[in-house]
Amino acid sequence: MIRISVCGLAIASMTALGCASRGGILGVDCCADVPAGAIPEPAGAKVCDWQTAGVSSAVADQTVLYQADFIGTSANLSPGAGDRMARNVNSGLAARQTALIEPSGDAALDAERIDAVSVQLASFGVASPMVEVATPAALGLRGPQAERVAGGFGNVRGSSTGTGAPISRPSGQGGFGGNLPGGIF
């Protein structure tokens, strides 16, 4: 009789232990990968965040006027910049977003450019144009910084100027240790 009760007790405890790992006793799963109450992000959430940030940056860059958008070292806008400003007004972006002007290093020239852009936006029908001089977020690295970054990715065309792009070189090595002459990898 004791053997039967010991066997019954052993079977009951093994069953209870088995249940604890598959949903647990009283619904508590000790082996769960996700803590109780936490809901993991759905698949693709990070990629969606990166894409949204990229689109937001691209929209912000639409109202930026770089040094190349002005004719020489004057406050006169280039024809392309005027066309882009007209598109921004037609889409409503110019009324919602501040127009940024890349700093020239000359405070008097920057003030003239603010006035010129404000007048141009007002002529397009923007009631109270928002214009300021600030370094745009999309402005890339300059000079030695760009060379150091590009140097980490491979050879740079015209590396003395700092404006080259990383390039690949011909290599005699194949992907699996073979020799493929003339291949570019």
Side-chain angles (χ1 to χ4, degrees):
M1 182 74 161
I2 293 180
R3 285 185 176 209
I4 294 175
S5 62
V6 169
C7 285
L9 183 60
I11 291 172
S13 63
M14 288 188 335
T15 304
L17 288 175
C19 291
S21 66
R22 290 189 186 93
I25 299 174
L26 302 175
V28 177
D29 187 0
C30 299
C31 299
D33 292 337
V34 179
I39 299 173
E41 292 187 62
K46 297 291 184 196
V47 174
C48 183
D49 291 343
W50 290 336
Q51 183 179 12
T52 303
V55 169
S56 299
S57 296
V59 169
D61 194 47
Q62 293 299 311
T63 57
V64 174
L65 296 167
Y66 294 99
Q67 295 294 324
D69 290 322
F70 295 95
I71 298 173
T73 55
S74 70
N76 298 330
L77 288 164
S78 69
D83 293 343
R84 192 173 70 229
M85 288 174 63
R87 284 193 308 270
N88 290 338
V89 169
N90 289 336
S91 69
L93 188 61
R96 292 188 315 263
Q97 191 166 294
T98 302
L100 292 179
I101 299 174
E102 179 185 5
S104 66
D106 182 7
L109 179 60
D110 290 341
E112 288 177 32
R113 288 180 174 178
I114 287 175
D115 292 338
V117 171
S118 297
V119 167
Q120 183 72 28
L121 287 171
S123 72
F124 287 140
V126 177
S128 56
M130 300 174 290
V131 182
E132 66 181 46
V133 174
T135 303
L139 197 59
L141 299 174
R142 296 188 184 269
Q145 291 176 329
E147 289 180 19
R148 281 193 298 270
V149 170
F153 296 115
N155 289 342
V156 177
R157 290 186 199 120
S159 62
S160 62
T161 61
T163 59
I167 60 171
S168 59
R169 296 184 304 167
S171 171
Q173 298 293 324
F176 296 102
N179 190 1
L180 301 174
I184 296 179
F185 303 102

